Amino acid sequence: MKKIILSLLILFSLSSCKKEEQKTIDDKNSSDSTSITTTESENTAYISKEVVPDKIGDYLAKKNDTLYVTNFFATWCGPCMKEIPHFKNKIEELKGKPVKFTFVNLDQKSEWNGAVKKFAQESGLADHIILLDAQKLDENFFPKNFQKWDGGSIPFTYMRKGDKTDEYLGMMTEDVLNSKIQDLLK
């Protein structure tokens, strides 16, 4: 019951009524893509990828030699914003290696072409950000995809390489991030 209440709380707090123009795209350059749609404002070339909640489990479940680092964040979350530079450093450090960083944004849909767009452009992470519409989440989303996270707080980082996984709830220091990535790359 607690998980259902927390999921509904997240759903309501992250929901919005603003509709965006959407079109489906094929991501032919990525062998680990999911079902995504794009949201594009008329005044900009910025394109955000929206992942469908029932497909995020497939995305997180990739079992191959690539290390997948998936961070769930929101632009209004202070601890989320404090840990982003650590991830950016690792992205640069591990460039060309089999490591894929993805940031799943949980802002309200009405913020996607505002605060999220601004953050993506200023941080240089636009290619790494996907959008998750909390209105589309159901009570099974969290227990189906995660062992430690019930959706009650962020940031949350999920890492997978092959059969090995790691879940971290809360703000990650640079040392913790480095340690976790090193352990999974062994």
Side-chain angles (χ1 to χ4, degrees):
M1 184 66 170
K2 181 180 176 185
K3 288 183 180 182
I4 292 172
I5 292 170
L6 286 172
S7 295
L8 289 174
L9 180 62
I10 293 265
L11 194 107
F12 289 120
S13 68
L14 297 176
S15 66
S16 70
C17 297
K18 183 177 177 183
K19 293 186 178 183
E20 305 289 340
E21 179 183 338
Q22 294 184 339
K23 61 182 179 178
T24 302
I25 65 166
D26 293 326
D27 187 358
K28 295 177 181 165
N29 297 330
S30 176
S31 62
D32 59 356
S33 64
T34 60
S35 294
I36 58 174
T37 58
T38 60
T39 306
E40 186 173 4
S41 171
E42 294 175 7
N43 302 348
T44 181
Y46 171 76
I47 297 177
S48 304
K49 299 173 190 170
E50 179 183 355
V51 68
V52 181
D54 63 342
K55 297 295 182 184
I56 207 160
D58 297 338
Y59 172 76
L60 297 171
K62 291 286 183 191
K63 293 183 180 181
N64 57 33
D65 291 338
T66 298
L67 169 58
Y68 296 91
V69 179
T70 307
N71 179 265
F72 292 79
F73 81 103
T75 60
W76 48 261
C77 168
C80 299
M81 295 296 98
K82 285 182 181 179
E83 73 178 2
I84 293 290
H86 309 318
F87 286 95
K88 285 181 64 176
N89 291 342
K90 286 312 273 185
I91 289 170
E92 191 60 37
E93 179 185 325
L94 298 171
K95 199 173 217 170
K97 299 202 176 180
V99 180
K100 180 176 171 111
F101 288 85
T102 305
F103 299 90
V104 180
N105 180 265
L106 299 172
D107 279 76
Q108 291 183 5
K109 196 170 183 177
S110 64
E111 295 297 322
W112 288 357
N113 281 317
V116 178
K117 173 184 167 183
K118 180 180 177 187
F119 167 76
Q121 291 172 333
E122 289 177 356
S123 68
L125 293 173
D127 293 340
H128 297 274
I129 295 174
I130 60 174
L131 306 168
L132 182 60
D133 185 357
Q135 288 182 331
K136 295 179 181 177
L137 296 178
D138 65 23
E139 68 275 358
N140 297 317
F141 176 77
F142 297 102
K144 179 181 173 185
N145 293 296
F146 310 106
Q147 292 179 1
K148 294 182 180 179
W149 192 38
D150 63 7
S153 63
I154 54 175
F156 174 74
T157 303
Y158 180 85
M159 297 182 203
R160 172 182 286 282
K161 182 178 179 200
D163 290 325
K164 297 190 298 186
T165 63
D166 187 279
E167 296 183 21
Y168 192 86
L169 182 59
M171 187 181 84
M172 208 179 295
T173 65
E174 192 161 16
D175 289 340
V176 170
L177 178 62
N178 289 336
S179 173
K180 291 186 172 294
I181 287 177
Q182 285 174 0
D183 287 346
L184 289 168
L185 287 176
K186 289 181 183 176

